[in-house]
Amino acid sequence: MKRNRLPELIYIGKEQEKLTLHLFFQIIGKIRMSFTPRKNHWWYITLYISEKGFTTGAIPFDEGFESFSITFNLINSRLEISVSNGSYEFFELKNGLSVAEFYSDLRQLLKKLEIPVTIHPKPFDQNIDRSFSEISDIRNYDREYSYNFWKVFRCVDAVFKEFSGRFYGKTCPVHLYWHSMDLAVTRFSGREAPKLPQEARLSDKDAYSHECISFGFWAGDENMKEPAFYSYTYPSPDNLSEEILQPSDAKWIMNNGSPMAILTYADLQKSFNPREILLNFLESAYRAGAKLANWDIEKLEVPPLKSL
């Protein structure tokens, strides 16, 4: 990433465009989850950045003899389904497309391709107690917003992958969680974390079964009303918020009772070398948490190939 090449992305004034796209992502994410074999920490339900937009990647079906993928092609404004037997179908992602229309069009294509799908038909964690087929009032799909959304996430994806490659321990792919619509990558110390209370959500119990430091980017929400990068350490060690972050614009905030490192996208846009600044933020947040949580930082650092 170079100066002045980062695309614009705002939250205020684009809340409904983001919500519409978010619910579209939840639908295809639920479809992936319904077919894909379980993997630790919910890594099997996520979406990925592609050269066209966002994709599920290959999803197995027909007892594993076939696979299909669902892709938001944001260059050509299409929702595409490709099948390993050569079949291909798509529909246009037009401005003003509603959640109900998207859900109906997608189900019709899946039926045409003879891919049987059953999902829980309501949004997750959005305070919407209606099925997707009934959500005709949320209809703010916007091609330009979605295209810029992808361009920003594509840039971030590349830097997150570079940062991820510096770590020798267990780490997840760089992927997008559709429940919260954030791009994330997580590092693990290898040690188990304290068990969560019995009444905790199952999703949290699996996500936080082991010590981790997570890094992510999201496009804003009601709590953080602008796009921002974040990092948190779980379990959160004492005095974490006293550690120095890079760059100087980065700060600690309290989130659910624990410190979270924050760097806003607007601050990154002002920088001369955003790639380097973002890497410095990620590295400083990691070292702050890893040091106080007694991770073996040196052992977990990827050495140069010539030293192997």
Side-chain angles (χ1 to χ4, degrees), residues 230-242:
Y230 67 81
S231 176
Y232 61 86
T233 300
Y234 181 83
S236 184
D238 294 338
N239 304 317
L240 180 59
S241 61
E242 298 176 12

Side-chain angles (χ1 to χ4, degrees), residues 109-296:
L109 290 194
L110 291 166
K111 184 177 181 180
K112 185 176 181 179
L113 292 167
E114 299 182 339
I115 301 173
V117 174
T118 301
I119 64 171
H120 182 68
K122 293 184 178 181
F124 178 80
D125 209 22
Q126 294 296 309
N127 295 317
I128 300 174
D129 191 25
R130 290 175 289 158
S131 67
F132 294 116
S133 62
E134 299 171 323
I135 307 175
S136 57
D137 55 318
I138 300 178
R139 52 181 319 112
N140 292 85
Y141 182 78
D142 183 270
R143 288 181 171 184
E144 183 178 4
Y145 172 82
S146 299
Y147 181 73
N148 285 336
F149 185 98
W150 164 63
K151 286 202 299 182
V152 172
F153 274 69
R154 186 186 64 199
C155 293
V156 175
D157 178 71
V159 178
F160 277 16
K161 286 175 178 173
E162 182 176 353
F163 174 70
S164 177
R166 298 177 174 182
F167 188 70
Y168 238 6
K170 174 182 172 181
T171 184
C172 72
V174 177
H175 49 198
L176 188 144
Y177 281 102
W178 46 263
H179 69 288
S180 51
M181 210 179 185
D182 57 330
L183 189 72
V185 62
T186 302
R187 294 175 170 184
F188 296 83
S189 71
R191 300 188 296 253
E192 290 187 4
K195 290 188 179 299
L196 290 172
Q198 186 61 36
E199 63 271 18
R201 293 198 304 191
L202 177 61
S203 58
D204 290 338
K205 289 180 181 179
D206 191 31
Y208 300 112
S209 61
H210 290 69
E211 292 180 352
C212 65
I213 303 177
S214 194
F215 314 84
F217 175 73
W218 76 100
D221 57 27
E222 284 303 302
N223 296 316
M224 175 65 66
K225 295 181 182 293
E226 61 177 316
F229 301 90
Y230 67 81
S231 176
Y232 61 86
T233 300
Y234 181 83
S236 184
D238 294 338
N239 304 317
L240 180 59
S241 61
E242 298 176 12
E243 293 294 307
I244 302 298
L245 293 169
Q246 296 293 333
S248 58
D249 292 323
K251 61 185 178 181
W252 295 101
I253 66 169
M254 295 303 292
N255 181 66
N256 294 324
S258 300
M260 174 180 279
I262 294 291
L263 175 66
T264 68
Y265 184 67
D267 284 332
L268 192 67
Q269 284 183 297
K270 296 184 300 184
S271 64
F272 179 76
N273 190 335
R275 171 186 159 276
E276 181 179 344
I277 294 298
L278 179 52
L279 285 169
N280 289 344
F281 169 72
L282 299 170
E283 190 67 36
S284 68
Y286 164 67
R287 289 186 176 272
K291 180 184 73 174
L292 294 179
N294 296 314
W295 288 28
D296 193 335

Side-chain angles (χ1 to χ4, degrees), residues 18-64:
K18 177 180 179 286
L19 176 60
T20 303
L21 185 62
H22 191 168
L23 294 177
F24 289 1
F25 282 4
Q26 288 211 354
I27 291 169
I28 68 167
K30 283 171 175 273
I31 291 172
R32 184 185 178 207
M33 183 171 66
S34 71
F35 283 98
T36 308
R38 183 179 179 275
K39 188 173 177 60
N40 48 228
H41 313 300
W42 302 97
W43 296 355
Y44 65 105
I45 73 170
T46 54
L47 307 180
Y48 307 99
I49 312 298
S50 79
E51 77 288 353
K52 296 179 181 179
F54 298 91
T55 184
T56 59
I59 301 172
F61 79 108
D62 191 20
E63 298 184 338

